[in-house]
């Protein structure tokens, strides 16, 4: 039986208060809106023949549910958990539980800010963290994850690669 080829897929999760990017403390977070950031990511993903899905939520449980669902639908996860980065053992446990290749991103450099932002519950369960490059943090995170997945998942599951389309 012929297997149907699918593009590899990444979920981009945005946590609380990121829906108001552009208006929110632009001196810290920049002027790009979330829609603009997502659009840039979409363009970059297309270049690499990856599919992206996006979700923003201000609610911890919604983010946890999305991480659980991602296990069966995506090969990777990019997460800016916003303030939940510094508080949420539940989000950390969800990432650890699903075992998806995950990159943590932050617009601001959390280590140059208030000390309560210096600790990330998420950092120990992700591949890596990118922090401090404004909206470029997302782009750099996507590039890193695409490279990682291209070197790992594609070897394990060659039918995911668009190059195998018939
Ligand atoms: C943030 C940094 C967090 O400390 C903050 O609570 C945010 C945004 C960032 O992208 O720089 O909401 O994750």
């Amino acid at each position: 039986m012929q297997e149907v080829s699918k593009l590899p897929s990444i979920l981009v999760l945005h946590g609380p208060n990121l829906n108001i990017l552009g208006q929110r403390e632009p001196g810290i977070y920049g002027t790009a809106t979330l829609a603009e950031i997502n659009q840039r990511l979409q363009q970059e993903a297309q270049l690499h023949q990856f599919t992206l899905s996006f979700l923003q939520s201000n609610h911890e449980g919604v983010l946890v549910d999305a991480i659980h669902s991602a296990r069966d639908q995506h090969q990777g996860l990019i997460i800016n958990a916003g303030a939940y980065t510094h508080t949420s053992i539940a989000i950390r446990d969800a990432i650890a539980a699903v075992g998806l290749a995950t990159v943590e991103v932050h617009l601001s450099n959390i280590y140059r800010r208030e000390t309560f932002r210096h600790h990330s519950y998420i950092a120990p369960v992700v591949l890596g963290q990118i922090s401090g490059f404004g909206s470029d943090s997302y782009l750099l995170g996507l590039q890193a994850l695409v490279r990682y997945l291209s070197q790992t998942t594609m070897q394990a599951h060659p039918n995911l690669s668009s190059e195998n389309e018939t």
Side-chain angles (χ1 to χ4, degrees):
M1 200 174 79
Q2 184 98 43
E3 277 194 70
V4 180
S5 295
K6 258 181 27 166
L7 294 183
S9 169
I10 292 171
L11 175 65
V12 182
L13 269 187
H14 305 284
N17 299 308
L18 296 170
N19 53 314
I20 51 172
L21 279 180
Q23 305 152 38
R24 176 192 181 200
E25 299 182 90
I28 296 174
Y29 298 115
T31 52
T33 64
L34 197 60
E36 287 164 352
I37 290 173
N38 288 345
Q39 198 183 9
R40 272 185 83 195
L41 290 175
Q42 193 67 268
Q43 282 165 1
E44 181 72 16
Q46 271 164 17
L47 289 179
H48 300 285
Q49 297 189 294
F50 272 65
T51 298
L52 291 190
S53 300
F54 302 95
L55 179 77
Q56 188 280 327
S57 179
N58 295 322
H59 304 280
E60 188 175 19
V62 172
L63 295 167
V64 169
D65 286 343
I67 294 165
H68 291 175
S69 306
R71 181 172 39 187
D72 301 322
Q73 295 169 29
H74 305 282
Q75 285 69 53
L77 178 67
I78 294 173
I79 183 164
N80 182 352
Y84 287 140
T85 305
H86 320 296
T87 63
S88 180
I89 298 171
I91 291 176
R92 172 207 176 110
D93 284 354
I95 294 169
V98 300
L100 274 180
T102 301
V103 175
E104 173 185 353
V105 300
H106 299 284
L107 297 144
S108 63
N109 180 345
I110 56 175
Y111 303 100
R112 292 182 66 175
R113 301 185 61 196
E114 303 95 324
T115 47
F116 65 82
R117 295 184 205 274
H118 295 182
H119 177 255
S120 166
Y121 276 107
I122 292 167
V125 296
V126 298
L127 292 172
Q129 183 198 69
I130 298 174
S131 172
F133 295 96
S135 57
D136 282 348
S137 292
Y138 281 97
L139 206 65
L140 294 166
L142 175 62
Q143 288 166 350
L145 191 53
V146 162
R147 283 175 72 97
Y148 177 86
L149 289 173
S150 300
Q151 287 159 13
T152 55
T153 317
M154 301 315 147
Q155 282 162 18
H157 307 285
N159 61 312
L160 275 173
S161 166
S162 56
E163 283 162 23
N164 287 295
E165 270 175 28
T166 50

